[in-house]
């Protein structure tokens, strides 16, 4: 069962794979469609199952993902399922976020102060056991350092 579902545009696979890698190294059990879907899998069913079983949804908000219908479906499902949704902005501003997440606190991953705010937000908003909160925070810290190195 994945703990973190990553919603992203396939055009942003490089950033999504880095986020996946850091979360995996932290033991967070992420789900990324291009990595976790087996050949021949019914991908719509598998994606929905992964979304249902995940505790958190990270929306990698980019110029490619914000207008994506597939991403809109994933985020809509996550809202209906009342998942902990965290928009992670990459090369977009809050005003460019889709209306279905514009009331959710987002974090710009290129801004180190925002990464610190994300860590604080995760600690305050994820109502889970302390172990998984620590795992997620460690993954985000590692990813934040990678993002800052890409500036």
């Amino acid at each position: 069962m994945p703990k973190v579902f990553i919603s992203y545009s396939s055009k942003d696979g490089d950033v999504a794979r880095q986020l996946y890698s850091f979360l995996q190294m932290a033991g967070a059990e992420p789900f990324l469609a291009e990595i976790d879907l087996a050949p021949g899998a019914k991908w719509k069913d598998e994606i929905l199952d992964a979304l249902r079983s995940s505790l958190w949804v990270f929306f990698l908000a980019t110029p490619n993902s914000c207008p994506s219908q597939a991403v809109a479906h994933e985020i809509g499902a996550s809202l209906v399922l009342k998942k902990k949704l965290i928009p992670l902005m990459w090369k977009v501003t809050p005003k460019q976020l889709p209306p279905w997440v514009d009331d959710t606190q987002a974090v710009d991953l290129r801004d180190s102060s925002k990464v610190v705010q994300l860590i604080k937000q995760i600690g305050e908003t994820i109502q889970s056991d302390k172990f998984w909160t620590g795992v997620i925070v460690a993954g985000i810290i590692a990813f934040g350092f990678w993002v800052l190195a890409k500036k």
Side-chain angles (χ1 to χ4, degrees), residues 49-71:
D49 287 345
L51 186 56
R52 278 189 192 114
S53 65
S54 293
L55 300 175
W56 305 284
V57 175
F58 285 0
F59 166 40
L60 187 55
T62 69
N64 296 312
S65 67
C66 287
S68 167
Q69 288 298 318
V71 171

Side-chain angles (χ1 to χ4, degrees), residues 38-102:
K42 301 278 187 190
W43 60 268
K44 288 181 184 178
D45 293 338
E46 295 287 328
I47 287 173
L48 189 54
D49 287 345
L51 186 56
R52 278 189 192 114
S53 65
S54 293
L55 300 175
W56 305 284
V57 175
F58 285 0
F59 166 40
L60 187 55
T62 69
N64 296 312
S65 67
C66 287
S68 167
Q69 288 298 318
V71 171
H73 288 280
E74 292 172 356
I75 301 306
S78 73
L79 294 172
V80 168
L81 293 169
K82 300 186 186 295
K83 299 296 179 178
K84 297 288 185 183
L85 175 65
I86 302 174
L88 306 175
M89 297 185 305
W90 178 252
K91 299 182 181 180
V92 296
T93 66
K95 291 182 180 189
Q96 293 171 302
L97 290 173
W100 25 268
V101 295
D102 66 1

